[in-house]
Amino acid sequence: EKGNEKIILGLMWAIIQHYQLSAISAEGISGKDGLMLWAQRLVSGYVDAEGNPVVVKDFTRSWTSGLAFCAMLDKTHKGVLDFEAIRDTGDPATILTEAFKVAEESFGIEPLLDLEDLLDAPGGKPDDKIIMTQLCFYFKEFARHLKEQNAVKSITAACNITRRHDGWIQEYNTNSTELLSWIAGTIGKFNNTVKGAEGFGDTTAL
C-alpha cells in the first residue's frame, strides 16, 4: 500500500507540474524558477520582528515561519491582514493559521497544507512539492484578483472621464448662454443708435 501511495502521489505531482507549474511565468521565467521569482518579488520589502528581511530562497524552510505567506497576501491586497500585528506574535503556528484563514476567506484559496506539514516536518524541512502546489493556487488566484482590480480601475477611470465631459458640456452651455446674452444686448445697443450731425450717438442721450 505504501508503494501504491507513492506511485499515486508521483502521478499527481506530474499532472500538477504539467498543468499548473508549467503555466506560471514571471518576468519571462517560467515553471519552478518563475514561481520562485514571483514569490521573492512579493515578499520583498517585508521584515520579521527583528528587522531582518523576509527571504524566500527555497520551497521548504523559507515558509515555516508563515511570514512569507502573510507578506504575499498583504502585498497583493493591502489591508487584507495586519502584517505587523501578526508578525509580532512571534508564533509560527498563529502566523500560519492566520495566513491560511485569510487566503481562504479573501481569495478562496483552500489550504493544502496544515500546521504539521510545516512545523513538524522531518528534519524541519517540509515537502517542497506540497508547498509549490499551494503556491500555484496562490499565483492563479492573485492573478485573477489583479485582473479584477484593473477592471475596476478602468471602469472608475471611464466614469471619471464621463463626469469631466459632462462638466465641460455644462460649462460650455453656461458660457455660450452668457455669450448669446451679451451679443443680444450689444446688438440692442447698436440698434438703439442714430446717426447725428457729429456721427453716431445714443438716442437715449437725446
Side-chain angles (χ1 to χ4, degrees):
E1 291 184 3
K2 197 69 174 178
N4 290 336
E5 182 179 334
K6 288 184 177 180
I7 292 173
I8 293 172
L9 290 175
L11 289 172
M12 289 179 62
W13 174 241
I15 293 171
I16 290 169
Q17 277 188 307
H18 182 73
Y19 291 103
Q20 295 281 352
L21 194 56
S22 62
I24 290 174
S25 179
E27 299 180 24
I29 301 175
S30 59
K32 181 179 178 180
D33 292 337
L35 186 64
M36 173 65 71
L37 179 61
W38 169 75
Q40 290 172 338
R41 292 288 185 269
L42 286 182
V43 305
S44 177
Y46 287 85
V47 297
D48 62 20
E50 285 72 42
N52 301 311
V54 175
V55 177
V56 169
K57 58 184 179 181
D58 53 44
F59 292 109
T60 54
R61 293 186 176 91
S62 294
W63 304 90
T64 56
S65 71
L67 292 177
F69 287 112
C70 287
M72 292 171 67
L73 291 163
D74 185 62
K75 188 67 165 286
T76 302
H77 192 337
K78 281 292 183 183
V80 75
L81 53 74
D82 188 336
F83 178 83
E84 293 183 358
I86 297 171
R87 174 198 67 190
D88 292 346
T89 64
D91 178 33
T94 299
I95 296 171
L96 286 166
T97 299
E98 186 65 21
F100 295 158
K101 177 184 175 183
V102 170
E104 185 168 17
E105 293 181 352
S106 299
F107 295 94
I109 303 172
E110 295 186 13
L112 302 179
L113 297 158
D114 54 34
L115 296 182
E116 289 72 21
D117 291 327
L118 292 161
L119 302 180
D120 298 329
K125 186 178 180 181
D127 188 330
D128 61 341
K129 294 182 180 63
I130 297 178
I131 291 180
M132 278 190 279
T133 302
Q134 182 74 85
L135 291 176
C136 284
F137 286 103
Y138 274 64
F139 182 92
K140 179 181 178 182
E141 290 305 318
F142 286 1
R144 183 182 62 80
H145 176 75
L146 181 60
K147 186 176 181 180
E148 290 177 352
Q149 281 188 320
N150 289 337
V152 170
K153 289 179 181 178
S154 297
I155 293 171
T156 301
C159 290
N160 289 335
I161 291 173
T162 300
R163 281 195 290 268
R164 286 200 298 271
H165 285 175
D166 290 343
W168 294 336
I169 291 172
Q170 184 176 358
E171 183 179 358
Y172 169 79
N173 289 335
T174 300
N175 291 339
S176 62
T177 300
E178 292 176 354
L179 177 61
L180 290 173
S181 297
W182 178 84
I183 292 173
T186 302
I187 291 175
K189 287 183 179 180
F190 276 107
N191 288 338
N192 200 31
T193 60
V194 295
K195 187 174 182 180
E198 297 179 356
F200 287 93
D202 190 344
T203 58
T204 59
L206 296 178

